[in-house]
Amino acid sequence: MQIFTIISLLGAAALGVCQSNNVTGKLGDARQVRNNPVIGEVWTAVFDSSSVKGVVTAVANTVGVNYTIDVTGLPADKGPFKYHVHVRPVPADGNCTETGGHLDSYLRGDSPPCDSSRPASCEVGDLSGKYGTVTGPTVQKSFNDPYSALNIINLGYIGDRGIVFHDSSSARIACATLTKVKTQVIG
């Protein structure tokens, strides 16, 4: 009888942990990145289309990646704009649809939409879901995403992937590939 009671209590405790955890992705919530290769490593996505110009900068930090968005030319009447890290780089012809879907390392999917109060439960690449959409025509915004990585062994690795801006209809209106620029040792 005592063994049955102990097993029942352990099962109930395990069920309670699972229910209160509220994990979204099939692989769980995103984990904070604490092993970027060199703090200060810099990657940029340079936007140079006929209308959208500017740069998204990603800098390795002690925890995650510091992003800076500085773009102009977003059509003010088509916002608010979402922006994401996509799984593939932009091809030579500039076709944004070829960048694939959002970086979704933990197999969350994009439905239901990201809850910004629980950023670890969002797709790693859903930056606007975690840190807010932007309006045009000019955007200047900085934030740290602790779930993005510049270490290729991490699930949240963003190097050599596309950054895509979507208009309010979700159409892809601008894209550029994150490319390593330099390593600056911060000490």
Side-chain angles (χ1 to χ4, degrees), residues 2 8 11-12 14 16 18 29 33 38 55 61-62 72 75-76 81 95 114 117 138-141 145-146 150 160 187:
Q2 286 180 328
S8 296
C18 289
D29 282 352
V33 174
V38 177
V55 64
N61 194 14
T62 305
T72 61
F81 301 95
N95 183 346
C114 171
S117 71
T138 300
V139 176
Q140 290 183 318
K141 181 177 184 123
D145 182 48
L150 289 172
D160 297 314

Side-chain angles (χ1 to χ4, degrees), residues 81-114:
F81 301 95
K82 295 179 180 179
Y83 49 98
H84 308 102
V85 178
H86 283 240
V87 294
R88 292 192 298 267
V90 179
D93 67 2
N95 183 346
C96 294
T97 60
E98 295 300 317
T99 60
H102 305 160
L103 178 60
D104 188 12
S105 312
Y106 294 88
L107 307 177
R108 178 204 191 278
D110 60 4
S111 182
C114 171

Side-chain angles (χ1 to χ4, degrees), residues 81-181:
F81 301 95
K82 295 179 180 179
Y83 49 98
H84 308 102
V85 178
H86 283 240
V87 294
R88 292 192 298 267
V90 179
D93 67 2
N95 183 346
C96 294
T97 60
E98 295 300 317
T99 60
H102 305 160
L103 178 60
D104 188 12
S105 312
Y106 294 88
L107 307 177
R108 178 204 191 278
D110 60 4
S111 182
C114 171
D115 177 356
S116 63
S117 71
R118 296 190 58 242
S121 71
C122 302
E123 293 174 309
V124 171
D126 188 359
L127 300 177
S128 58
K130 293 184 270 189
Y131 306 107
T133 58
V134 295
T135 57
T138 300
V139 176
Q140 290 183 318
K141 181 177 184 123
S142 296
F143 54 89
N144 172 272
D145 182 48
Y147 313 105
S148 292
L150 289 172
N151 185 338
I152 198 164
I153 68 167
N154 286 92
L155 288 175
Y157 181 68
I158 61 168
D160 297 314
R161 297 185 190 271
I163 300 281
V164 178
F165 281 89
H166 302 260
D167 68 15
S168 60
S169 75
S170 295
R172 299 173 189 210
I173 61 164
C175 55
T177 299
L178 275 167
T179 306
K180 186 175 178 180
V181 176

